[in-house]
Amino acid sequence: AQSVSQHNHHVILSEAASLELGCNYSYGGTVNLFWYVQYPGQHLQLLLKYFSGDPLVKGIKGFEAEFIKSKFSFNLRKPSVQWSDTAEYFCAVNSGTYKYIFGTGTRLKVLA
Amino acid sequence: SAVISQKPSRDICQRGTSLTIQCQVDSQVTMMFWYRQQPGQSLTLIATANQGSEATYESGFVIDKFPISRPNLTFSTLTVSNLSPEDSSIYLCSVMLGTEAFFGQGTRLTVV
């Protein structure tokens, strides 16, 4: 069965620190990969997605993620976080259907 | 994009009662999805609601416990029946437009 693992459940960083959130998935076929973000009191919203092509994808607000097929990973990065990046981040996978498999989420707190 | 309104945003219910959650979308969509997010866990798909037909439930979820209505292309309800404390979760409505999923703000249910 498909699964998604997010290794960091809680991350605390100071402003301007670099961020990397890990995401690994298990699925043998072609997958689409997503990162969603949920700011306090707001909807889940799409941060970035990968379907094919360049494995380094850029999303909104300076976030990027790299798909490494050999490692079944899709880690999220940002070179310099801001206080406003405080949120919960979810990695998700689907195999081209409507079914998403989500990770358990990572709560990021950025200290001003 | 899609704007999804969910009601109520939160509720506290007595065990043995039921809660009905409403989901309204600002555009017509073929499929609507209901997810559950239990404390500390990932989002799990409960069922897919198609207009004019019975909902399709995922493994571990049954219609008697989670009856769903889909009277038109912009609206759906999820009822969580015979509540127990284990049903305390966040319930989210979702739609897909193209390859992107959009989510409501969620309904936080606490069963006492």
Side-chain angles (χ1 to χ4, degrees):
Chain A
Q2 293 181 37
S3 66
V4 176
S5 298
Q6 290 183 243
H7 316 296
N8 317 99
H9 299 295
H10 292 89
V11 174
I12 301 174
L13 294 172
S14 298
E15 274 196 314
S18 64
L19 170 72
E20 181 159 3
L21 301 182
C23 173
N24 287 89
Y25 65 93
S26 66
Y27 183 69
T30 302
V31 293
N32 300 320
L33 298 153
F34 307 83
W35 276 97
Y36 279 84
V37 60
Q38 187 168 28
Y39 298 103
Q42 296 189 27
H43 304 227
L44 269 170
Q45 56 186 284
L46 183 66
L47 203 51
L48 48 78
K49 60 187 177 185
Y50 172 80
F51 289 165
S52 64
D54 188 344
L56 184 63
V57 292
K58 295 192 184 299
I60 59 172
K61 305 187 180 186
F63 286 90
E64 65 179 31
E66 185 175 13
F67 170 52
I68 303 179
K69 189 174 181 179
S70 60
K71 295 185 177 180
F72 296 90
S73 70
F74 190 56
N75 292 353
L76 180 71
R77 300 194 294 247
K78 186 171 184 178
S80 176
V81 295
Q82 301 173 311
W83 177 80
S84 57
D85 294 322
T86 294
E88 189 160 15
Y89 294 81
F90 293 90
C91 182
V93 165
N94 77 17
S95 56
T97 70
Y98 59 83
K99 290 190 184 182
Y100 281 68
I101 309 295
F102 284 86
T104 52
T106 298
R107 287 184 186 270
L108 171 66
K109 185 178 178 72
V110 180
L111 304 175
Chain B
S1 67
V3 176
I4 302 174
S5 302
Q6 254 185 263
K7 292 180 183 179
S9 58
R10 58 179 64 227
D11 206 343
I12 301 172
C13 298
Q14 298 287 329
R15 64 178 72 198
T17 63
S18 299
L19 176 70
T20 296
I21 303 167
Q22 298 180 0
C23 179
Q24 179 76 50
V25 189
D26 68 344
S27 55
Q28 294 184 337
V29 292
T30 305
M31 293 193 288
M32 295 177 76
F33 307 92
W34 288 98
Y35 285 85
R36 180 177 72 182
Q37 185 181 15
Q38 293 178 300
Q41 299 190 28
S42 63
L43 282 77
T44 303
L45 183 63
I46 297 171
T48 304
N50 294 311
Q51 194 266 334
S53 63
E54 278 200 6
T56 303
Y57 289 83
E58 297 300 306
S59 175
F61 298 96
V62 295
I63 187 171
D64 290 347
K65 177 67 175 177
F66 299 98
I68 287 172
S69 79
R70 183 77 201 275
N72 58 52
L73 292 173
T74 62
F75 187 80
S76 177
T77 67
L78 169 75
T79 298
V80 189
S81 303
N82 190 23
L83 290 168
S84 68
E86 293 71 36
D87 296 319
S88 296
S89 291
I90 298 172
Y91 293 86
L92 295 111
C93 174
S94 174
V95 302
M96 286 195 69
L97 291 183
T99 56
E100 184 173 341
F102 294 87
F103 294 86
Q105 276 189 298
T107 296
R108 184 180 293 272
L109 168 62
T110 302
V111 182
V112 296

